[in-house]
Structures are given as structure tokens and as C-alpha cells.
Amino acid sequence: MLATPPLFLEYEAVLKRPEQLTASGLILTDVDSVLDALAALIEPVETYLSWRPQLDDPDDEMVLEAAINGRTDALVTYNAAHFQGAARRFGVRLARPVEILREVIGP
């Protein structure tokens, strides 16, 4: 897993939104524990080149930049339609989470 510092901070901000806390049933200390565990697994990526704008949704640009600058094997998302054109341009494989899970753990 890859993330730039701004992307990781965006994950944190989203997970700590009141509506997300309500939906997940978690409290802030739970979210902090999850983020700590995630941070231990993520490979940090520095953004040397900005490729913006590439996507219709500006909120997705950080994800694409992390994938390109981190030379990812795959950009894993449920939102593949938003990334299709840019993924082709940059030679980035798009995959849904279930595809990656099947590759890792089998059918």
C-alpha cells in the first residue's frame, strides 16, 4: 500500500467525520488505532511531480499522484470509472478490492 502524506491525512479526516464515526460505530481512539496500524503498513510516497489535472473529480487527484509517483502495481478502488482514462495514459493497472483479495488469498 502506498500513500503520500497529504493522502494519508485525507484518510484521517474522512474517517473522523461525525457521519463516518456514526456509520462505523467507532470512537476517535478506535480510528487512531486503525490509522496507526495502517501507517505501519503503508509505504510513504513523496510527490516529485504533480500530474494535475488529470481527473474530472479533483478529490481523486491525490490518489492518482500517489499511484504514479509510487510506481504502484495497481490502483485499487471501487471508483475505477473515475480513473480509467488517466490509468491508461500512465500505464497504471486498475483493480477492485475484491480482485486483489482473490489474488492474495485465492478464490
Side-chain angles (χ1 to χ4, degrees), residues 72-107:
T72 190
D73 294 326
L75 194 158
V76 182
T77 180
Y78 285 113
N79 204 6
H82 286 197
F83 292 96
Q84 283 180 346
R88 271 193 302 275
R89 268 191 302 283
F90 291 99
V92 174
R93 175 186 170 210
L94 282 177
R96 297 197 185 281
V98 68
E99 295 170 47
I100 299 301
L101 285 173
R102 285 184 182 135
E103 289 175 19
V104 172
I105 62 172

PDB file of all heavy atoms in Angstrom, residues 72-107:
ATOM      1  N   THR A  72       3.094   2.275  -8.495  1.00  0.00           N
ATOM      2  CA  THR A  72       2.267   1.202  -7.950  1.00  0.00           C
ATOM      3  C   THR A  72       2.070   0.047  -8.921  1.00  0.00           C
ATOM      4  O   THR A  72       2.157   0.228 -10.136  1.00  0.00           O
ATOM      5  CB  THR A  72       0.895   1.768  -7.534  1.00  0.00           C
ATOM      6  OG1 THR A  72       0.179   0.788  -6.804  1.00  0.00           O
ATOM      7  CG2 THR A  72       0.052   2.176  -8.732  1.00  0.00           C
ATOM      8  N   ASP A  73       1.808  -1.120  -8.377  1.00  0.00           N
ATOM      9  CA  ASP A  73       1.440  -2.278  -9.190  1.00  0.00           C
ATOM     10  C   ASP A  73      -0.015  -2.173  -9.636  1.00  0.00           C
ATOM     11  O   ASP A  73      -0.375  -2.658 -10.701  1.00  0.00           O
ATOM     12  CB  ASP A  73       1.629  -3.576  -8.404  1.00  0.00           C
ATOM     13  CG  ASP A  73       3.085  -3.844  -8.095  1.00  0.00           C
ATOM     14  OD1 ASP A  73       3.957  -3.498  -8.916  1.00  0.00           O
ATOM     15  OD2 ASP A  73       3.355  -4.395  -7.018  1.00  0.00           O
ATOM     16  N   ALA A  74      -0.849  -1.549  -8.802  1.00  0.00           N
ATOM     17  CA  ALA A  74      -2.266  -1.400  -9.129  1.00  0.00           C
ATOM     18  C   ALA A  74      -2.862  -0.280  -8.294  1.00  0.00           C
ATOM     19  O   ALA A  74      -2.499  -0.108  -7.130  1.00  0.00           O
ATOM     20  CB  ALA A  74      -3.025  -2.690  -8.874  1.00  0.00           C
ATOM     21  N   LEU A  75      -3.779   0.439  -8.890  1.00  0.00           N
ATOM     22  CA  LEU A  75      -4.575   1.413  -8.160  1.00  0.00           C
ATOM     23  C   LEU A  75      -5.865   0.684  -7.810  1.00  0.00           C
ATOM     24  O   LEU A  75      -6.628   0.291  -8.692  1.00  0.00           O
ATOM     25  CB  LEU A  75      -4.847   2.639  -9.036  1.00  0.00           C
ATOM     26  CG  LEU A  75      -5.378   3.876  -8.337  1.00  0.00           C
ATOM     27  CD1 LEU A  75      -5.086   5.110  -9.178  1.00  0.00           C
ATOM     28  CD2 LEU A  75      -6.815   3.787  -7.973  1.00  0.00           C
ATOM     29  N   VAL A  76      -6.087   0.452  -6.536  1.00  0.00           N
ATOM     30  CA  VAL A  76      -7.207  -0.356  -6.067  1.00  0.00           C
ATOM     31  C   VAL A  76      -8.310   0.572  -5.578  1.00  0.00           C
ATOM     32  O   VAL A  76      -8.108   1.374  -4.664  1.00  0.00           O
ATOM     33  CB  VAL A  76      -6.750  -1.306  -4.932  1.00  0.00           C
ATOM     34  CG1 VAL A  76      -7.908  -2.179  -4.472  1.00  0.00           C
ATOM     35  CG2 VAL A  76      -5.575  -2.153  -5.399  1.00  0.00           C
ATOM     36  N   THR A  77      -9.485   0.455  -6.213  1.00  0.00           N
ATOM     37  CA  THR A  77     -10.578   1.366  -5.903  1.00  0.00           C
ATOM     38  C   THR A  77     -11.922   0.776  -6.325  1.00  0.00           C
ATOM     39  O   THR A  77     -11.991  -0.025  -7.259  1.00  0.00           O
ATOM     40  CB  THR A  77     -10.365   2.730  -6.617  1.00  0.00           C
ATOM     41  OG1 THR A  77     -11.436   3.613  -6.298  1.00  0.00           O
ATOM     42  CG2 THR A  77     -10.268   2.577  -8.121  1.00  0.00           C
ATOM     43  N   TYR A  78     -12.969   1.195  -5.651  1.00  0.00           N
ATOM     44  CA  TYR A  78     -14.332   0.900  -6.096  1.00  0.00           C
ATOM     45  C   TYR A  78     -14.771   1.930  -7.125  1.00  0.00           C
ATOM     46  O   TYR A  78     -15.830   1.816  -7.722  1.00  0.00           O
ATOM     47  CB  TYR A  78     -15.315   0.932  -4.916  1.00  0.00           C
ATOM     48  CG  TYR A  78     -15.214  -0.272  -4.015  1.00  0.00           C
ATOM     49  CD1 TYR A  78     -14.750  -0.148  -2.719  1.00  0.00           C
ATOM     50  CD2 TYR A  78     -15.591  -1.530  -4.465  1.00  0.00           C
ATOM     51  CE1 TYR A  78     -14.658  -1.256  -1.887  1.00  0.00           C
ATOM     52  CE2 TYR A  78     -15.506  -2.647  -3.641  1.00  0.00           C
ATOM     53  CZ  TYR A  78     -15.042  -2.488  -2.355  1.00  0.00           C
ATOM     54  OH  TYR A  78     -14.946  -3.593  -1.541  1.00  0.00           O
ATOM     55  N   ASN A  79     -13.971   2.951  -7.312  1.00  0.00           N
ATOM     56  CA  ASN A  79     -14.293   4.091  -8.153  1.00  0.00           C
ATOM     57  C   ASN A  79     -13.505   4.039  -9.466  1.00  0.00           C
ATOM     58  O   ASN A  79     -13.023   5.062  -9.947  1.00  0.00           O
ATOM     59  CB  ASN A  79     -13.939   5.360  -7.354  1.00  0.00           C
ATOM     60  CG  ASN A  79     -14.694   6.566  -7.802  1.00  0.00           C
ATOM     61  OD1 ASN A  79     -15.574   6.491  -8.632  1.00  0.00           O
ATOM     62  ND2 ASN A  79     -14.335   7.692  -7.252  1.00  0.00           N
ATOM     63  N   ALA A  80     -13.363   2.873 -10.054  1.00  0.00           N
ATOM     64  CA  ALA A  80     -12.500   2.678 -11.220  1.00  0.00           C
ATOM     65  C   ALA A  80     -12.892   3.570 -12.400  1.00  0.00           C
ATOM     66  O   ALA A  80     -12.016   4.039 -13.127  1.00  0.00           O
ATOM     67  CB  ALA A  80     -12.517   1.211 -11.642  1.00  0.00           C
ATOM     68  N   ALA A  81     -14.166   3.815 -12.586  1.00  0.00           N
ATOM     69  CA  ALA A  81     -14.609   4.621 -13.731  1.00  0.00           C
ATOM     70  C   ALA A  81     -13.966   6.011 -13.725  1.00  0.00           C
ATOM     71  O   ALA A  81     -13.656   6.550 -14.780  1.00  0.00           O
ATOM     72  CB  ALA A  81     -16.128   4.746 -13.727  1.00  0.00           C
ATOM     73  N   HIS A  82     -13.743   6.572 -12.551  1.00  0.00           N
ATOM     74  CA  HIS A  82     -13.138   7.907 -12.461  1.00  0.00           C
ATOM     75  C   HIS A  82     -11.678   7.914 -12.891  1.00  0.00           C
ATOM     76  O   HIS A  82     -11.137   8.952 -13.240  1.00  0.00           O
ATOM     77  CB  HIS A  82     -13.241   8.445 -11.039  1.00  0.00           C
ATOM     78  CG  HIS A  82     -14.613   8.885 -10.664  1.00  0.00           C
ATOM     79  ND1 HIS A  82     -14.862   9.695  -9.594  1.00  0.00           N
ATOM     80  CD2 HIS A  82     -15.825   8.625 -11.221  1.00  0.00           C
ATOM     81  CE1 HIS A  82     -16.152   9.916  -9.500  1.00  0.00           C
ATOM     82  NE2 HIS A  82     -16.746   9.264 -10.465  1.00  0.00           N
ATOM     83  N   PHE A  83     -11.009   6.760 -12.840  1.00  0.00           N
ATOM     84  CA  PHE A  83      -9.567   6.692 -13.098  1.00  0.00           C
ATOM     85  C   PHE A  83      -9.210   6.076 -14.450  1.00  0.00           C
ATOM     86  O   PHE A  83      -8.034   6.045 -14.811  1.00  0.00           O
ATOM     87  CB  PHE A  83      -8.894   5.875 -11.989  1.00  0.00           C
ATOM     88  CG  PHE A  83      -8.910   6.541 -10.646  1.00  0.00           C
ATOM     89  CD1 PHE A  83      -9.902   6.238  -9.727  1.00  0.00           C
ATOM     90  CD2 PHE A  83      -7.944   7.462 -10.291  1.00  0.00           C
ATOM     91  CE1 PHE A  83      -9.927   6.844  -8.480  1.00  0.00           C
ATOM     92  CE2 PHE A  83      -7.959   8.077  -9.056  1.00  0.00           C
ATOM     93  CZ  PHE A  83      -8.955   7.765  -8.146  1.00  0.00           C
ATOM     94  N   GLN A  84     -10.169   5.573 -15.211  1.00  0.00           N
ATOM     95  CA  GLN A  84      -9.869   4.771 -16.404  1.00  0.00           C
ATOM     96  C   GLN A  84      -8.979   5.480 -17.417  1.00  0.00           C
ATOM     97  O   GLN A  84      -7.967   4.920 -17.848  1.00  0.00           O
ATOM     98  CB  GLN A  84     -11.155   4.295 -17.066  1.00  0.00           C
ATOM     99  CG  GLN A  84     -11.767   3.146 -16.315  1.00  0.00           C
ATOM    100  CD  GLN A  84     -13.048   2.654 -16.945  1.00  0.00           C
ATOM    101  OE1 GLN A  84     -13.640   3.304 -17.791  1.00  0.00           O
ATOM    102  NE2 GLN A  84     -13.498   1.485 -16.504  1.00  0.00           N
ATOM    103  N   GLY A  85      -9.325   6.677 -17.815  1.00  0.00           N
ATOM    104  CA  GLY A  85      -8.540   7.381 -18.829  1.00  0.00           C
ATOM    105  C   GLY A  85      -7.125   7.663 -18.367  1.00  0.00           C
ATOM    106  O   GLY A  85      -6.154   7.393 -19.079  1.00  0.00           O
ATOM    107  N   ALA A  86      -6.987   8.183 -17.166  1.00  0.00           N
ATOM    108  CA  ALA A  86      -5.654   8.502 -16.625  1.00  0.00           C
ATOM    109  C   ALA A  86      -4.846   7.233 -16.395  1.00  0.00           C
ATOM    110  O   ALA A  86      -3.635   7.221 -16.641  1.00  0.00           O
ATOM    111  CB  ALA A  86      -5.787   9.302 -15.333  1.00  0.00           C
ATOM    112  N   ALA A  87      -5.487   6.188 -15.950  1.00  0.00           N
ATOM    113  CA  ALA A  87      -4.767   4.930 -15.720  1.00  0.00           C
ATOM    114  C   ALA A  87      -4.177   4.413 -17.030  1.00  0.00           C
ATOM    115  O   ALA A  87      -3.027   3.962 -17.062  1.00  0.00           O
ATOM    116  CB  ALA A  87      -5.701   3.891 -15.103  1.00  0.00           C
ATOM    117  N   ARG A  88      -4.932   4.498 -18.106  1.00  0.00           N
ATOM    118  CA  ARG A  88      -4.422   4.074 -19.415  1.00  0.00           C
ATOM    119  C   ARG A  88      -3.242   4.954 -19.838  1.00  0.00           C
ATOM    120  O   ARG A  88      -2.215   4.450 -20.298  1.00  0.00           O
ATOM    121  CB  ARG A  88      -5.520   4.136 -20.472  1.00  0.00           C
ATOM    122  CG  ARG A  88      -6.332   2.873 -20.591  1.00  0.00           C
ATOM    123  CD  ARG A  88      -7.178   2.858 -21.852  1.00  0.00           C
ATOM    124  NE  ARG A  88      -8.101   3.996 -21.936  1.00  0.00           N
ATOM    125  CZ  ARG A  88      -9.307   4.020 -21.379  1.00  0.00           C
ATOM    126  NH1 ARG A  88      -9.734   2.975 -20.701  1.00  0.00           N
ATOM    127  NH2 ARG A  88     -10.078   5.067 -21.502  1.00  0.00           N
ATOM    128  N   ARG A  89      -3.385   6.270 -19.665  1.00  0.00           N
ATOM    129  CA  ARG A  89      -2.312   7.207 -20.055  1.00  0.00           C
ATOM    130  C   ARG A  89      -1.006   6.917 -19.341  1.00  0.00           C
ATOM    131  O   ARG A  89       0.061   7.043 -19.915  1.00  0.00           O
ATOM    132  CB  ARG A  89      -2.728   8.649 -19.750  1.00  0.00           C
ATOM    133  CG  ARG A  89      -3.407   9.360 -20.872  1.00  0.00           C
ATOM    134  CD  ARG A  89      -3.545  10.851 -20.613  1.00  0.00           C
ATOM    135  NE  ARG A  89      -4.250  11.228 -19.419  1.00  0.00           N
ATOM    136  CZ  ARG A  89      -5.561  11.205 -19.246  1.00  0.00           C
ATOM    137  NH1 ARG A  89      -6.349  10.794 -20.215  1.00  0.00           N
ATOM    138  NH2 ARG A  89      -6.105  11.589 -18.113  1.00  0.00           N
ATOM    139  N   PHE A  90      -1.086   6.554 -18.068  1.00  0.00           N
ATOM    140  CA  PHE A  90       0.106   6.347 -17.256  1.00  0.00           C
ATOM    141  C   PHE A  90       0.484   4.873 -17.095  1.00  0.00           C
ATOM    142  O   PHE A  90       1.439   4.556 -16.398  1.00  0.00           O
ATOM    143  CB  PHE A  90      -0.071   6.997 -15.882  1.00  0.00           C
ATOM    144  CG  PHE A  90      -0.090   8.493 -15.948  1.00  0.00           C
ATOM    145  CD1 PHE A  90      -1.284   9.193 -15.926  1.00  0.00           C
ATOM    146  CD2 PHE A  90       1.098   9.216 -16.043  1.00  0.00           C
ATOM    147  CE1 PHE A  90      -1.301  10.575 -15.997  1.00  0.00           C
ATOM    148  CE2 PHE A  90       1.092  10.592 -16.113  1.00  0.00           C
ATOM    149  CZ  PHE A  90      -0.112  11.278 -16.095  1.00  0.00           C
ATOM    150  N   GLY A  91      -0.263   3.990 -17.715  1.00  0.00           N
ATOM    151  CA  GLY A  91       0.048   2.572 -17.625  1.00  0.00           C
ATOM    152  C   GLY A  91      -0.159   1.998 -16.241  1.00  0.00           C
ATOM    153  O   GLY A  91       0.554   1.093 -15.820  1.00  0.00           O
ATOM    154  N   VAL A  92      -1.163   2.509 -15.534  1.00  0.00           N
ATOM    155  CA  VAL A  92      -1.472   2.037 -14.181  1.00  0.00           C
ATOM    156  C   VAL A  92      -2.631   1.038 -14.255  1.00  0.00           C
ATOM    157  O   VAL A  92      -3.669   1.326 -14.839  1.00  0.00           O
ATOM    158  CB  VAL A  92      -1.857   3.225 -13.255  1.00  0.00           C
ATOM    159  CG1 VAL A  92      -2.320   2.730 -11.902  1.00  0.00           C
ATOM    160  CG2 VAL A  92      -0.695   4.189 -13.121  1.00  0.00           C
ATOM    161  N   ARG A  93      -2.431  -0.113 -13.684  1.00  0.00           N
ATOM    162  CA  ARG A  93      -3.492  -1.129 -13.620  1.00  0.00           C
ATOM    163  C   ARG A  93      -4.557  -0.674 -12.632  1.00  0.00           C
ATOM    164  O   ARG A  93      -4.245  -0.249 -11.521  1.00  0.00           O
ATOM    165  CB  ARG A  93      -2.903  -2.454 -13.162  1.00  0.00           C
ATOM    166  CG  ARG A  93      -3.940  -3.526 -12.943  1.00  0.00           C
ATOM    167  CD  ARG A  93      -3.333  -4.778 -12.363  1.00  0.00           C
ATOM    168  NE  ARG A  93      -4.398  -5.680 -11.951  1.00  0.00           N
ATOM    169  CZ  ARG A  93      -4.287  -6.535 -10.962  1.00  0.00           C
ATOM    170  NH1 ARG A  93      -3.152  -6.650 -10.298  1.00  0.00           N
ATOM    171  NH2 ARG A  93      -5.300  -7.305 -10.636  1.00  0.00           N
ATOM    172  N   LEU A  94      -5.811  -0.788 -13.017  1.00  0.00           N
ATOM    173  CA  LEU A  94      -6.931  -0.531 -12.119  1.00  0.00           C
ATOM    174  C   LEU A  94      -7.479  -1.865 -11.640  1.00  0.00           C
ATOM    175  O   LEU A  94      -7.631  -2.802 -12.423  1.00  0.00           O
ATOM    176  CB  LEU A  94      -8.054   0.215 -12.841  1.00  0.00           C
ATOM    177  CG  LEU A  94      -7.865   1.696 -13.049  1.00  0.00           C
ATOM    178  CD1 LEU A  94      -9.039   2.262 -13.846  1.00  0.00           C
ATOM    179  CD2 LEU A  94      -7.721   2.424 -11.740  1.00  0.00           C
ATOM    180  N   ALA A  95      -7.781  -1.948 -10.353  1.00  0.00           N
ATOM    181  CA  ALA A  95      -8.351  -3.179  -9.800  1.00  0.00           C
ATOM    182  C   ALA A  95      -9.341  -2.835  -8.702  1.00  0.00           C
ATOM    183  O   ALA A  95      -9.173  -1.846  -7.992  1.00  0.00           O
ATOM    184  CB  ALA A  95      -7.239  -4.067  -9.243  1.00  0.00           C
ATOM    185  N   ARG A  96     -10.340  -3.636  -8.585  1.00  0.00           N
ATOM    186  CA  ARG A  96     -11.290  -3.502  -7.476  1.00  0.00           C
ATOM    187  C   ARG A  96     -10.723  -4.276  -6.284  1.00  0.00           C
ATOM    188  O   ARG A  96      -9.982  -5.250  -6.468  1.00  0.00           O
ATOM    189  CB  ARG A  96     -12.644  -4.033  -7.880  1.00  0.00           C
ATOM    190  CG  ARG A  96     -13.259  -3.250  -9.033  1.00  0.00           C
ATOM    191  CD  ARG A  96     -14.736  -3.505  -9.159  1.00  0.00           C
ATOM    192  NE  ARG A  96     -15.283  -2.850 -10.325  1.00  0.00           N
ATOM    193  CZ  ARG A  96     -15.579  -1.554 -10.395  1.00  0.00           C
ATOM    194  NH1 ARG A  96     -15.364  -0.789  -9.364  1.00  0.00           N
ATOM    195  NH2 ARG A  96     -16.079  -1.026 -11.490  1.00  0.00           N
ATOM    196  N   PRO A  97     -11.084  -3.884  -5.061  1.00  0.00           N
ATOM    197  CA  PRO A  97     -10.552  -4.577  -3.883  1.00  0.00           C
ATOM    198  C   PRO A  97     -10.754  -6.086  -3.921  1.00  0.00           C
ATOM    199  O   PRO A  97      -9.855  -6.847  -3.553  1.00  0.00           O
ATOM    200  CB  PRO A  97     -11.304  -3.923  -2.720  1.00  0.00           C
ATOM    201  CG  PRO A  97     -11.607  -2.549  -3.220  1.00  0.00           C
ATOM    202  CD  PRO A  97     -11.893  -2.716  -4.691  1.00  0.00           C
ATOM    203  N   VAL A  98     -11.897  -6.548  -4.390  1.00  0.00           N
ATOM    204  CA  VAL A  98     -12.163  -7.986  -4.413  1.00  0.00           C
ATOM    205  C   VAL A  98     -11.181  -8.709  -5.338  1.00  0.00           C
ATOM    206  O   VAL A  98     -10.780  -9.846  -5.064  1.00  0.00           O
ATOM    207  CB  VAL A  98     -13.635  -8.288  -4.787  1.00  0.00           C
ATOM    208  CG1 VAL A  98     -13.935  -7.923  -6.235  1.00  0.00           C
ATOM    209  CG2 VAL A  98     -13.975  -9.735  -4.500  1.00  0.00           C
ATOM    210  N   GLU A  99     -10.775  -8.057  -6.440  1.00  0.00           N
ATOM    211  CA  GLU A  99      -9.803  -8.678  -7.346  1.00  0.00           C
ATOM    212  C   GLU A  99      -8.465  -8.901  -6.643  1.00  0.00           C
ATOM    213  O   GLU A  99      -7.843  -9.959  -6.772  1.00  0.00           O
ATOM    214  CB  GLU A  99      -9.583  -7.806  -8.574  1.00  0.00           C
ATOM    215  CG  GLU A  99     -10.791  -7.652  -9.470  1.00  0.00           C
ATOM    216  CD  GLU A  99     -10.574  -6.587 -10.526  1.00  0.00           C
ATOM    217  OE1 GLU A  99      -9.504  -6.598 -11.177  1.00  0.00           O
ATOM    218  OE2 GLU A  99     -11.463  -5.736 -10.694  1.00  0.00           O
ATOM    219  N   ILE A 100      -8.026  -7.909  -5.892  1.00  0.00           N
ATOM    220  CA  ILE A 100      -6.750  -8.009  -5.182  1.00  0.00           C
ATOM    221  C   ILE A 100      -6.847  -9.072  -4.092  1.00  0.00           C
ATOM    222  O   ILE A 100      -5.935  -9.875  -3.915  1.00  0.00           O
ATOM    223  CB  ILE A 100      -6.330  -6.650  -4.611  1.00  0.00           C
ATOM    224  CG1 ILE A 100      -6.148  -5.627  -5.742  1.00  0.00           C
ATOM    225  CG2 ILE A 100      -5.087  -6.769  -3.755  1.00  0.00           C
ATOM    226  CD1 ILE A 100      -5.106  -6.010  -6.786  1.00  0.00           C
ATOM    227  N   LEU A 101      -7.973  -9.105  -3.372  1.00  0.00           N
ATOM    228  CA  LEU A 101      -8.145 -10.135  -2.334  1.00  0.00           C
ATOM    229  C   LEU A 101      -8.098 -11.528  -2.941  1.00  0.00           C
ATOM    230  O   LEU A 101      -7.472 -12.430  -2.378  1.00  0.00           O
ATOM    231  CB  LEU A 101      -9.464  -9.928  -1.581  1.00  0.00           C
ATOM    232  CG  LEU A 101      -9.482  -8.782  -0.588  1.00  0.00           C
ATOM    233  CD1 LEU A 101     -10.886  -8.571  -0.041  1.00  0.00           C
ATOM    234  CD2 LEU A 101      -8.506  -9.045   0.535  1.00  0.00           C
ATOM    235  N   ARG A 102      -8.709 -11.706  -4.099  1.00  0.00           N
ATOM    236  CA  ARG A 102      -8.682 -13.019  -4.752  1.00  0.00           C
ATOM    237  C   ARG A 102      -7.268 -13.399  -5.155  1.00  0.00           C
ATOM    238  O   ARG A 102      -6.875 -14.568  -5.073  1.00  0.00           O
ATOM    239  CB  ARG A 102      -9.610 -13.043  -5.953  1.00  0.00           C
ATOM    240  CG  ARG A 102     -11.060 -13.123  -5.578  1.00  0.00           C
ATOM    241  CD  ARG A 102     -11.956 -13.254  -6.770  1.00  0.00           C
ATOM    242  NE  ARG A 102     -13.355 -13.287  -6.368  1.00  0.00           N
ATOM    243  CZ  ARG A 102     -14.323 -12.607  -6.953  1.00  0.00           C
ATOM    244  NH1 ARG A 102     -14.070 -11.864  -8.015  1.00  0.00           N
ATOM    245  NH2 ARG A 102     -15.539 -12.676  -6.494  1.00  0.00           N
ATOM    246  N   GLU A 103      -6.488 -12.428  -5.611  1.00  0.00           N
ATOM    247  CA  GLU A 103      -5.105 -12.696  -5.984  1.00  0.00           C
ATOM    248  C   GLU A 103      -4.260 -13.070  -4.761  1.00  0.00           C
ATOM    249  O   GLU A 103      -3.402 -13.927  -4.843  1.00  0.00           O
ATOM    250  CB  GLU A 103      -4.491 -11.475  -6.671  1.00  0.00           C
ATOM    251  CG  GLU A 103      -5.039 -11.220  -8.044  1.00  0.00           C
ATOM    252  CD  GLU A 103      -4.520  -9.936  -8.660  1.00  0.00           C
ATOM    253  OE1 GLU A 103      -3.480  -9.401  -8.206  1.00  0.00           O
ATOM    254  OE2 GLU A 103      -5.173  -9.440  -9.614  1.00  0.00           O
ATOM    255  N   VAL A 104      -4.543 -12.421  -3.645  1.00  0.00           N
ATOM    256  CA  VAL A 104      -3.754 -12.644  -2.436  1.00  0.00           C
ATOM    257  C   VAL A 104      -4.142 -13.947  -1.731  1.00  0.00           C
ATOM    258  O   VAL A 104      -3.287 -14.720  -1.334  1.00  0.00           O
ATOM    259  CB  VAL A 104      -3.868 -11.438  -1.470  1.00  0.00           C
ATOM    260  CG1 VAL A 104      -3.221 -11.735  -0.146  1.00  0.00           C
ATOM    261  CG2 VAL A 104      -3.261 -10.196  -2.110  1.00  0.00           C
ATOM    262  N   ILE A 105      -5.447 -14.161  -1.573  1.00  0.00           N
ATOM    263  CA  ILE A 105      -5.894 -15.327  -0.794  1.00  0.00           C
ATOM    264  C   ILE A 105      -6.472 -16.446  -1.642  1.00  0.00           C
ATOM    265  O   ILE A 105      -6.780 -17.510  -1.131  1.00  0.00           O
ATOM    266  CB  ILE A 105      -6.892 -14.939   0.307  1.00  0.00           C
ATOM    267  CG1 ILE A 105      -8.160 -14.335  -0.294  1.00  0.00           C
ATOM    268  CG2 ILE A 105      -6.266 -13.991   1.296  1.00  0.00           C
ATOM    269  CD1 ILE A 105      -9.261 -14.095   0.723  1.00  0.00           C
ATOM    270  N   GLY A 106      -6.667 -16.195  -2.921  1.00  0.00           N
ATOM    271  CA  GLY A 106      -7.221 -17.213  -3.799  1.00  0.00           C
ATOM    272  C   GLY A 106      -8.736 -17.144  -3.865  1.00  0.00           C
ATOM    273  O   GLY A 106      -9.366 -16.397  -3.122  1.00  0.00           O
ATOM    274  N   PRO A 107      -9.337 -17.947  -4.765  1.00  0.00           N
ATOM    275  CA  PRO A 107     -10.800 -17.904  -4.962  1.00  0.00           C
ATOM    276  C   PRO A 107     -11.592 -18.400  -3.781  1.00  0.00           C
ATOM    277  O   PRO A 107     -11.187 -19.081  -2.937  1.00  0.00           O
ATOM    278  CB  PRO A 107     -11.038 -18.771  -6.196  1.00  0.00           C
ATOM    279  CG  PRO A 107      -9.772 -19.503  -6.452  1.00  0.00           C
ATOM    280  CD  PRO A 107      -8.691 -18.879  -5.629  1.00  0.00           C
TER     281      PRO A 107
END
